[in-house]
Amino acid sequence: MAKQTILLVDDEAEIREGLRILLSGENYLIIEAANGQQALEQLTANSNSIDLIILDIMMPGLSGLRVCEEIRKSSTVPILFLTAKAQESDKLLGLTAGGDDYLAKPFSYAELIGRVKALLRRYYVYQGKGQKGLQYQNNMLIAGGIKISLESNQVWVQGQEVELTSIEYHILRLLMETPQKIFSTQNIYESVWNEPYFYISNGTVMVHIRKLRVKIETDPQNPRYLKTVWGKGYRFEAALNEVDNYDAE
C-alpha cells in the first residue's frame, strides 16, 4: 500500500523537523512548506497525492486561516490546525475557515498522532477507501458489534446501550479509531488524560481498561474487543470481518 502523504506547513524549521521525524516514523510521506504561499504551491503540484494538511495558524504573510480558506475553494483534504492560541474563539475561527480539527501548542506527540490517524481514517472512509470492517455512518463509528457516537459519549454493544464514563468512552474511541494498532499505556494516558505520563499512571490506565471491559465484554477475563499485548499495551481487536447489523435506536 502506498504511503499516505501529509503536507506540513509551519514557518519554524525546528518544528517542521521534529514533526517530520515523528510522522516519518509512523510511515507517512512528508512534504514541507515554510509559509502559506509555499503551501498553496505544494498543494497545486501534488493535489492528487496529499491526504492531510497540518497547518500552523500564526505565520507571516498568508496566515493559516487565509491558506485554509484558499484550499477550501478547490479541495476537501482534511486540515489539522496547529497554533499557540487556545481560546475558544480562535478555535471557532479555525473551524469556520474550513479546518477539520485543532491542536493547541504545546501538545503531546501521542495526541498529534491520534488526531492525524483519526482524520485520515475518516477521509478515506468517506472516499470509499476505509478499512474493511470499520465503518463511519451518521457520525457513528461501527466495528465488530460495537457502535460509538462521535458526537456524544454514547456507546452500544450488540445493539444495547451501555453507560461509560467520559474517560472510558475516550479510551474506547481512541483504540477503535485505529484498530489493530498497539497503544502503550503512555500513549493512552497522554492522549486521553492529556497530561504528562509517569510510572504511576500505568495503574490508572489498567484500572480504567478493567472497568471498560466489564461494561463491553461478555467475558471480561477473556476479552473479545480490548486485547492486552503483553509487554506492549492494548489494542482493539474485534473481528473486523464481522458484519454489524445492530442499530443505535
Side-chain angles (χ1 to χ4, degrees), residues 13 23 25 28 52 101 104 106 115 158 170 192 198 202 205 228 245 248:
L23 295 166
Y28 295 117
L52 172 70
D101 206 348
R115 300 286 182 93
Q158 311 298 353
H170 283 97
V192 174
F198 298 100
N202 186 62
V205 173
T228 298
N245 296 313

Side-chain angles (χ1 to χ4, degrees), residues 3-9 23 28-32 43 46-55 71-72 75-81 99-101 112-124 127:
K3 290 184 178 182
Q4 292 171 313
T5 300
I6 297 175
L7 173 58
L8 178 58
V9 188
L23 295 166
Y28 295 117
L29 179 63
I30 306 302
I31 299 174
E32 297 183 38
L43 185 63
N46 302 279
S47 59
N48 294 325
S49 60
I50 293 176
D51 300 292
L52 172 70
I53 299 173
I54 297 178
L55 180 60
I71 291 172
R72 283 293 172 256
S75 174
T76 60
V77 63
I79 296 174
L80 172 61
F81 276 124
D100 297 278
D101 206 348
L112 173 66
I113 292 297
R115 300 286 182 93
V116 166
K117 289 183 180 295
L119 286 171
L120 285 169
R121 184 173 302 283
R122 292 173 195 172
Y123 184 52
Y124 267 61
Q127 290 186 333

Side-chain angles (χ1 to χ4, degrees), residues 209-225:
I209 290 285
R210 189 180 306 123
K211 291 180 178 180
L212 181 55
R213 281 173 172 161
V214 169
K215 295 181 178 182
I216 70 171
E217 302 280 4
T218 302
D219 181 4
Q221 301 302 317
N222 184 30
R224 169 189 175 192
Y225 299 115

